Amino acid sequence: MNIATKPMKMMRAVVVHSPGGPEALTIERSPIPSPKHGQVLIRIHAFGLNRAEMFTRQGHSPGVTFPRILGIEATGTISSAPGGEFVEGAVVATVMGGMGRAFDGGYAEYMVAPVSQVKVVQVDVEWKVLGALPEMVQTAWGALFSSLRLGKGEKLLVRGGSSSVGLMAAAIAKHHGAFVVSTTRNESREELLRASGAHDVLIDSGSVAEEARSRYPDGFDKVLELVGVTTLADSLKAVKKNGIVCTAGIVGGKWVIEQFTPNAIIPSGVYLTTYSSSVKAFMETPLDEVAQLVKDGTMHIPIKTYKFDQIVEAHHAMDDSSAEAKMVVLTD
């Protein structure tokens, strides 16, 4: 007797089979995954793009095996929660925790995520806005207030200000009463930086400390270093005594300082720290608060959207740093 088998439900997913350029991203039909207890199935409506995914695509993320669905963040609605932790249809966001590296991530129409890293979103905003926020807000908020301990009235330098995290950090810092100076390599981006929260802009030729000291002789209270190790030594020269520099990005594309000699690059009385994203930090991030500020226009964050089948085009823009906005893919 023939027993009819139930057709397997399928979804679209962006899969990388081996490291490479943007063309390594292929859109395929894949089975919709099934959640176990302690997991949820999320119907993804929007996901942000991050440079971490570019590095994974290029083969630079340790421990990643292929094929892999990339994506360290996603937003959508609960499709299934076997343990009853969430109501079906609830709007949620999730980031990190191995997404897109240890297990398949957000570059798909559905994904399974551990309950422990899924956050309900109460504010009603467009998917393109919500899709832009989780990782960007978590990194900016954590770096500013956990690592830098930014206070009202302090002078903050955002190195790599035209990156999505740089734009978000400027907006958050200004809203909390800091005086914000952002850097960019491109003079045409000055208006963008000012619109997002910067009070002043420095054009970055690879060195900004001299110009920064010329404009602000006492130096900065805090520096958020998003370019990374390629400009870190210069950024350390721009901070005042007892000030803090936090490195939280690798826009410069380099991970390691070769022949690092602390005494040679860290001025006496200046403090160097880092910020690294984590699930715990994300769950503590006031995502609803920031989403409401963006919704009502108090914070302005430029967002550029792509359709699902434009993922290769989007990664080309990320490789070229030409988007001048937080890039978001809409799955619908």
Side-chain angles (χ1 to χ4, degrees), residues 52-61 64 66 70 100-101:
E53 294 141 9
M54 180 183 75
F55 290 121
T56 300
R57 187 204 76 215
Q58 294 170 337
H60 301 316
S61 295
V64 174
F66 298 97
L70 302 187
R101 294 172 177 168

Side-chain angles (χ1 to χ4, degrees), residues 75-78 87 89-93 119-123 127 130:
T75 60
T77 53
I78 295 293
V87 176
V91 176
V92 295
K119 188 182 186 77
V120 173
V121 179
Q122 304 290 350
V123 177
W127 284 116
L130 185 57

Side-chain angles (χ1 to χ4, degrees), residues 11-187:
M11 67 176 184
R12 291 182 301 166
V14 179
V15 183
V16 175
H17 287 271
S18 60
E23 282 71 24
L25 301 163
T26 59
I27 297 176
E28 301 177 4
R29 300 286 293 177
S30 299
I32 295 176
S34 299
K36 303 175 182 178
H37 277 272
Q39 298 177 326
V40 294
L41 178 65
I42 300 172
R43 168 66 171 98
I44 298 171
H45 291 277
F47 57 87
L49 301 188
N50 301 277
R51 294 184 73 85
E53 294 141 9
M54 180 183 75
F55 290 121
T56 300
R57 187 204 76 215
Q58 294 170 337
H60 301 316
S61 295
V64 174
T65 58
F66 298 97
R68 176 65 65 211
I69 299 173
L70 302 187
I72 65 170
E73 65 176 320
T75 60
T77 53
I78 295 293
S79 180
S80 174
E85 298 90 349
F86 295 92
V87 176
E88 185 176 337
V91 176
V92 295
T94 185
V95 304
M96 302 297 291
M99 284 178 61
R101 294 172 177 168
F103 60 91
D104 288 334
Y107 283 25
E109 292 179 314
Y110 289 86
M111 73 164 290
V112 165
V115 168
S116 59
Q117 67 179 70
V118 178
K119 188 182 186 77
V120 173
V121 179
Q122 304 290 350
V123 177
D124 183 16
V125 293
E126 295 178 88
W127 284 116
K128 70 175 185 180
V129 174
L130 185 57
L133 296 180
E135 176 62 13
M136 180 173 65
V137 173
Q138 188 259 140
T139 302
W141 189 278
L144 290 175
F145 300 119
S146 177
S147 294
L148 286 174
R149 303 196 295 275
L150 184 69
K152 184 177 181 180
E154 291 189 317
K155 289 188 181 69
L156 169 72
L157 177 65
V158 181
R159 193 77 183 262
S162 59
S163 65
S164 61
V165 173
L167 295 169
M168 187 79 255
I172 293 173
K174 181 181 181 181
H175 181 71
H176 283 80
F179 182 86
V180 182
V181 178
S182 294
T183 75
T184 177
R185 295 174 298 170
N186 192 333
E187 291 184 16

Side-chain angles (χ1 to χ4, degrees), residues 203-217:
I203 305 304
D204 193 343
S205 61
S207 174
V208 299
E210 185 176 347
E211 177 63 21
R213 286 287 188 174
S214 174
R215 296 190 197 185
Y216 307 99

Side-chain angles (χ1 to χ4, degrees), residues 134 240 295:
K240 64 172 60 174
K295 180 180 180 179

